[in-house]
Amino acid sequence: MKKSRNTPAKAAILKVLSDSHQALSHAEILESTQQICDRVTVYRVLDRLLASDIIHKTVTAEGVVKYAFCRHEAHHDHNHVHFNCTRCHKTECLSLPIPEFELPNAYTVHDMNFTLTGVCPQCQSI
C-alpha cells in the first residue's frame, strides 16, 4: 500500500469523523465536506482510513454502511456493539461486552457486526 498522504480531503474527512460522536454514512460525510471532496474522493479516503485502522465501519439494520473514528490508544478491537436508533437513525459505538459464541469446526471469523436496534435516550424523551 502506498504511503498515506495528508490531503485537504483526508484532513476534512478525519475532522468530520473525529468531531462526531456517532457513526456517519458516506452521504453524511459527503454533505459535510462537499466544498472540498466529491463522492469518489470520499470513498477513496474512507477506504484508506479503514485500511490504516483509523476508522471502522458498521452496517445498520437498513443496510446503510456507517463509519466511525477509532478512539483508542494502542490496541483496540473493532468488534464491539453498536446501537442504531429507529427514530433519529443515529448509530453509536457502545462499550459493552461482546456476546460469546462457539462456531462449529472449519468456520473462521474475520469480522463481526453487533448492532442493537431500538430507541436512544434522546428519542425516549420525545
Side-chain angles (χ1 to χ4, degrees):
M1 182 176 210
K2 294 180 185 177
K3 184 180 177 196
S4 183
R5 296 177 299 150
N6 287 326
T7 64
K10 179 181 175 185
I13 291 168
L14 271 174
K15 178 158 179 38
V16 167
L17 289 170
S18 66
D19 287 351
S20 179
H21 294 288
Q22 64 182 359
L24 302 172
S25 68
H26 176 272
E28 292 166 322
I29 296 166
L30 179 61
E31 185 178 320
S32 297
T33 61
Q34 59 185 245
Q35 299 300 321
I36 298 168
C37 308
D38 62 21
R39 178 180 61 82
V40 175
T41 301
V42 172
Y43 277 121
R44 286 183 183 150
V45 171
L46 289 173
D47 283 344
R48 288 186 181 121
L49 293 174
L50 284 166
S52 299
D53 212 24
I54 296 170
I55 65 171
H56 66 278
K57 68 180 178 179
T58 187
V59 181
T60 68
E62 296 84 21
V64 177
V65 177
K66 294 202 173 188
Y67 303 88
F69 186 74
C70 294
R71 301 179 193 287
H72 56 78
E73 297 299 318
H75 176 73
H76 70 288
D77 192 352
H78 290 173
N79 297 325
H80 57 268
V81 177
H82 294 89
F83 187 87
N84 182 244
C85 180
T86 56
R87 290 189 185 162
C88 67
H89 303 285
K90 289 181 183 176
T91 301
E92 299 177 68
C93 299
L94 300 178
S95 298
L96 295 174
I98 301 277
E100 291 188 28
F101 55 90
E102 207 170 302
L103 288 173
N105 289 339
Y107 286 86
T108 303
V109 175
H110 293 283
D111 192 23
M112 291 183 279
N113 187 3
F114 292 100
T115 304
L116 303 173
T117 303
V119 181
C120 71
Q122 291 81 16
C123 290
Q124 290 283 355
S125 61
I126 296 175

